[in-house]
Amino acid sequence: EVVLTQSPATLSLSPGERATLSCRASQSVGNAWLVWYQQKPGQAPRLLIYGTSNRATGIPDRFSGSGSGTDFTLTISRLEPEDFAIYYCQQYDTSAITFGQGTRLDIK
Amino acid sequence: QVQLQESGPGLVKPSDTLFLTCSVSGNSINSNNWWVWIRQFPGDGLEWIGYIYSSGAVHYNPSLKSRVTMSVDASKDQFSLIMRSMAAVDTAIYYCARKPSDVPYFDYWGQGSLVTVSS
């Protein structure tokens, strides 16, 4: 099973700042198989990025994804108030789908 | 607009069996999608439970495979989860979701159903 480790656990930033969230895999993950979700309190996770760098429908272009192999990054270029939430990475392989433990993005 | 809605008991006793159903609207369950169960533990961790195709083909999380059964009722556009031998550690929000075939992500989710395991 591929273990995904996200860092930091909590990130405190102000609106307008840039956020960089990391997702590290215990073994190599194909670029096509790395996904990011955003979750707000009381809601289900929402698809944000798929295939490492492709934004889902309706996702603003301030969100971008990058990386390869075992190291992946979600970047929010300029934080808006609605971006403060928990972010999860997820990988797919033929044996099991796994999620990272999440990064909580808080307002500073 | 694709919508999914979970239904089931909010409380089950230790060692009991959990039965959950997900009703799908806005998309036929016979479409080219897998139908998924995911749970979220207190403290926010997410765990994939498994998914099922309309044909009945299934993929289960290896760690839960011995306790889980999924089924589809295409006539009702519903799919179901059975989880046996429930324990306190199974307390979680259970989500149903959709995974289009040949992609690695879940694009539509239900609102979630809180299941508490307690005597």
Side-chain angles (χ1 to χ4, degrees):
Chain A
E1 172 179 300
V2 178
V3 176
L4 298 177
T5 302
Q6 292 186 241
S7 61
T10 303
L11 184 58
S12 297
L13 293 170
S14 301
E17 291 191 293
R18 179 185 186 90
T20 303
L21 287 66
S22 172
C23 175
R24 179 161 290 179
S26 60
Q27 57 190 274
S28 185
V29 173
N31 279 21
W33 311 125
L34 197 287
V35 182
W36 291 92
Y37 299 89
Q38 175 194 67
Q39 187 177 32
K40 296 181 179 179
Q43 298 182 16
R46 171 194 182 197
L47 178 65
L48 205 61
I49 300 280
Y50 63 93
T52 296
S53 59
N54 301 288
R55 282 185 298 277
T57 302
I59 302 303
D61 62 6
R62 64 180 180 273
F63 291 90
S64 63
S66 62
S68 64
T70 59
D71 288 302
F72 298 88
T73 300
L74 174 68
T75 302
I76 310 171
S77 60
R78 188 175 172 83
L79 285 164
E80 297 287 342
E82 62 267 28
D83 299 337
F84 293 91
I86 302 175
Y87 292 84
Y88 295 94
C89 57
Q90 173 236 306
Q91 68 79 35
Y92 170 90
D93 72 20
T94 54
S95 61
I97 293 171
T98 54
F99 293 87
Q101 82 281 16
T103 289
R104 184 180 301 271
L105 182 54
D106 285 345
I107 297 179
K108 190 173 183 179
Chain B
Q1 176 77 1
V2 179
Q3 292 186 314
L4 299 96
Q5 177 69 58
E6 305 87 353
S7 58
L11 180 67
V12 297
K13 290 182 168 52
S15 79
D16 277 1
T17 296
L18 171 67
F19 297 87
L20 286 174
T21 295
C22 182
S23 299
V24 180
S25 59
N27 188 201
S28 168
I29 209 156
N30 286 319
S31 57
N32 195 22
N33 296 288
W34 293 82
W35 302 99
V36 189
W37 290 100
I38 293 162
R39 62 183 179 177
Q40 185 164 35
F41 300 107
D44 299 330
L46 290 160
E47 182 174 54
W48 167 68
I49 299 171
Y51 45 74
I52 186 166
Y53 200 76
S54 55
S55 63
V58 292
H59 291 276
Y60 297 139
N61 186 323
S63 69
L64 297 170
K65 188 174 182 178
S66 64
R67 294 201 291 138
V68 165
T69 302
M70 294 181 184
S71 60
V72 166
D73 185 340
S75 68
K76 296 181 180 178
D77 276 328
Q78 291 180 339
F79 62 105
S80 297
L81 170 69
I82 296 173
M83 185 176 287
R84 296 172 288 277
S85 303
M86 294 289 283
V89 296
D90 295 311
T91 293
I93 297 172
Y94 286 73
Y95 291 102
C96 59
R98 187 184 85 164
K99 187 187 96 58
S101 289
D102 302 324
V103 302
Y105 54 77
F106 313 116
D107 59 354
Y108 288 95
W109 297 60
Q111 65 186 29
S113 177
L114 175 61
V115 175
T116 302
V117 183
S118 174
S119 55

